[in-house]
Amino acid sequence: MPIQESIIKLNGTMGDLTFYKTEDGFLARRKGGVTAERMRTDPRFERTRENQQEFARAGKAVRLIRKVLRSHLLQVADKRMTGRLMQVLNLVVQADKVSTRGQRNVIDGEIELLTGFEFNVNGILTQTFHAPYTTVIDRATGNLSVSIPAFIPSEMVTYPQGATHCRFFAVGALINFEDGRSVITMSESPEVLKGNQEQAAIQLAQAVTPASTDPLLLLLGIRFFQEVNGRFYPLRNGAHNALGVVLVDGGV
């Protein structure tokens, strides 16, 4: 696809070329292609229609995840998070071994493929926090937890420039990808001072609906702060904050 390199920036259509702006700059593409009516009715495009239906289900799941986690993503997610999440949800749908083509979906797919997903590629959890921890999802009780043993902050946390403290937080999410129902809970640690002192063990526990059959997600994150005169201020743009999916239970 051609990229405009001159100082002239165009938006709109000129002849059979359409000019538009993206994160990568101003691009151009040629008009044309298959009409919408033909795409809906032509038997030769049956596979395409099936792919579009499944792509739409993955997109719906992405929008739902963004909606239920919105308050936690405001100071964490990078600009390309949605596209990366869409790639994973497409794989989740395609992993459905039960439904026919065109009908594959998230519920019958492998939602466990979300395990390890990072919401911020500029602050990856596994490159920010290096101490071991354990995760538990107890579906019967609805309890989700992260247990972090005692550690030395200066050795186990990569603090960005300007940060004096961090906080760990965990999010428990129950999400029904069919009707959109969700239960979201969060717990957070006290401030952890950058230094060579031993930080006491941290327990982050969440509780959602007991005995649910819906998918359960457990997320672990870290936010950075600067202490000034006894008050803690978030670093300006949150660029180094991290949040990752550390455990998934796909449901019954």
Side-chain angles (χ1 to χ4, degrees):
M1 180 175 292
I3 300 177
Q4 294 173 255
E5 295 182 346
S6 70
I7 61 173
I8 301 175
K9 300 177 176 65
L10 301 176
N11 267 308
T13 300
M14 181 181 297
D16 62 349
L17 292 177
T18 297
F19 300 87
Y20 58 102
K21 185 179 180 180
T22 72
E23 291 182 356
D24 299 313
F26 287 83
L27 304 180
R29 63 187 175 202
R30 188 182 299 275
K31 293 195 301 182
V34 181
T35 65
E37 178 63 23
R38 184 182 176 192
M39 186 67 71
R40 286 194 301 267
T41 60
D42 193 329
R44 286 176 291 183
F45 290 98
E46 182 179 2
R47 295 283 87 82
T48 301
R49 290 193 293 272
E50 292 171 349
N51 292 337
Q52 289 176 336
Q53 291 169 354
E54 295 181 353
F55 188 83
R57 291 191 188 94
K60 179 181 178 181
V62 169
R63 291 191 296 273
L64 180 58
I65 290 174
R66 290 184 60 192
K67 177 182 178 181
V68 301
L69 296 179
R70 175 176 171 76
S71 63
H72 305 295
L73 298 180
L74 290 176
Q75 289 296 314
V76 176
D78 64 77
K79 293 182 178 180
R80 297 183 182 272
M81 182 273 293
T82 299
R84 296 187 296 104
L85 187 58
M86 185 68 184
Q87 291 179 338
V88 177
L89 266 297
N90 273 324
L91 295 177
V92 170
V93 171
Q94 293 166 8
D96 179 353
K97 304 300 183 184
V98 179
S99 308
T100 59
R101 278 193 59 134
Q103 300 302 316
R104 292 181 295 183
N105 58 82
V106 173
I107 295 297
D108 295 316
E110 293 292 336
I111 194 65
E112 288 82 1
L113 292 173
L114 275 175
T115 304
F117 182 81
E118 298 276 357
F119 289 91
N120 183 10
V121 295
N122 301 308
I124 296 176
L125 180 63
T126 54
Q127 297 177 8
T128 302
F129 183 53
H130 310 285
Y133 56 87
T134 57
T135 57
V136 174
I137 292 179
D138 188 330
R139 179 171 292 279
T141 63
N143 294 325
L144 302 87
S145 63
V146 177
S147 301
I148 304 174
F151 63 95
I152 306 298
S154 61
E155 296 177 358
M156 294 299 172
V157 179
T158 301
Y159 286 80
Q161 184 176 3
T164 61
H165 293 72
C166 71
R167 290 179 193 152
F168 294 89
F169 66 101
V171 179
L174 178 158
I175 304 177
N176 185 300
F177 289 97
E178 292 183 338
D179 61 22
R181 289 182 296 103
S182 64
V183 178
I184 307 297
T185 61
M186 190 269 281
S187 60
E188 191 171 32
S189 75
E191 289 79 15
V192 176
L193 172 67
K194 178 182 179 181
N196 295 321
Q197 77 286 352
E198 182 178 82
Q199 168 62 42
I202 295 173
Q203 181 75 16
L204 301 170
Q206 294 68 234
V208 297
T209 307
S212 167
T213 59
D214 296 319
L216 303 177
L217 281 65
L218 178 59
L219 290 70
L220 176 63
I222 183 169
R223 299 189 182 102
F224 292 99
F225 299 82
Q226 183 179 81
E227 182 184 14
V228 178
N229 297 329
R231 299 185 64 179
F232 297 97
Y233 297 87
L235 291 195
R236 186 171 60 86
N237 57 8
H240 299 283
N241 293 340
L243 178 63
V245 181
V246 293
L247 190 62
V248 178
D249 185 324
V252 180

